[in-house]
Amino acid sequence: MFVTFEGCEGVGKSTQLRLLKEYLEKTGQEALYIREPGSTSISEQIRQVILDPNNSEMRDATEALLYAASRAQLVREVIKPALAEGKLVICDRFVDSSVAYQGYGRGMGADAVWEINKIALDGVLPDLTIFIDLPPDKSFRGTRMDDRLERESNEFFAKVYKGFLAQIDISSDRFVRIIPQIDKFATSQSIIEAMRKRGAIK
């Protein structure tokens, strides 16, 4: 099963992925953990180019194509082989982020981003997507401004958030919205229960 985690910047996604990994390890459930962009040698190099703050002149189309290139490598080198072996694959971000960030945030349009990603995806889409639903104005983005995307404006992230919500409306059967609680462990439990209901984990 292929499970992805999505959300805007600073919603606690990394923390929740760590807690999920701890739970699965304690209960003896194996999974492959990957991130986008990255998780292969080539994809990690592309990640550095995308997120480098010095690349402020990067065009929107260039950005979208670089994400797709990284994704194409990851799908063929890691995701498809792992799924063929019957593994649970858990990915921090996937194509929904491209649609939200480049399609809505950059204004390229969702259709254009999907078109760019047709070859990259090679028929692979998530079976389940956990969306940590925290609007940008309530996130912790201000505590981290390390990369080029994190330095974007509040207006940009408001558009990204709308992009995620639009995708949930279209693919409501695939998405599970998780509203994070103050208690990170309570949020983790909600995620675990949602994944159990979908048959992703025990």
Side-chain angles (χ1 to χ4, degrees), residues 8-9 93 101 105 135-137 139 141 145 148-164:
C8 293
E9 306 294 327
R93 298 199 181 281
Y101 278 74
D137 59 344
S139 74
R141 183 175 64 90
M145 301 291 279
R148 192 174 59 85
L149 283 173
E150 288 173 348
R151 297 181 179 187
E152 286 290 345
S153 66
N154 292 334
E155 181 184 3
F156 172 81
F157 285 108
K159 292 177 182 177
V160 169
Y161 181 65
K162 288 180 180 178
F164 277 123

Side-chain angles (χ1 to χ4, degrees), residues 96-125:
D96 296 303
S97 278
S98 285
V99 176
Y101 278 74
Q102 284 76 55
Y104 286 81
R106 301 295 189 205
M108 291 182 64
D111 290 344
V113 174
W114 280 112
E115 189 66 29
I116 286 171
N117 278 275
K118 274 185 180 178
I119 295 174
L121 291 169
D122 198 20
V124 174
L125 283 174

Side-chain angles (χ1 to χ4, degrees), residues 1-5 20 23-24 27-33 83 86-91 126-130 174 176 190-202:
M1 198 167 186
F2 183 29
V3 180
T4 57
F5 275 64
L20 175 62
Y23 167 78
L24 293 178
T27 55
Q29 301 182 66
E30 293 185 2
L32 175 64
Y33 305 91
L83 292 176
K87 293 181 179 179
L88 169 62
V89 180
I90 299 174
C91 190
D127 299 296
L128 171 64
T129 298
I130 303 294
R174 174 164 65 85
V176 172
S190 295
I191 291 171
I192 290 168
E193 289 174 2
M195 292 181 69
R196 281 177 182 158
K197 286 181 180 179
R198 295 297 186 98
I201 62 174
K202 298 177 181 178

Side-chain angles (χ1 to χ4, degrees), residues 25-43:
E25 288 176 349
K26 286 178 183 177
T27 55
Q29 301 182 66
E30 293 185 2
L32 175 64
Y33 305 91
I34 55 178
R35 71 174 182 175
E36 270 216 333
S39 294
T40 76
S41 176
I42 292 172
S43 299

Side-chain angles (χ1 to χ4, degrees), residues 7-14 93 101 132 134-136 138-144 150 157 180:
C8 293
E9 306 294 327
V11 299
K13 192 160 42 61
S14 298
R93 298 199 181 281
Y101 278 74
I132 300 181
L134 188 65
K138 295 181 180 179
S139 74
F140 301 100
R141 183 175 64 90
T143 62
R144 291 183 58 206
E150 288 173 348
F157 285 108

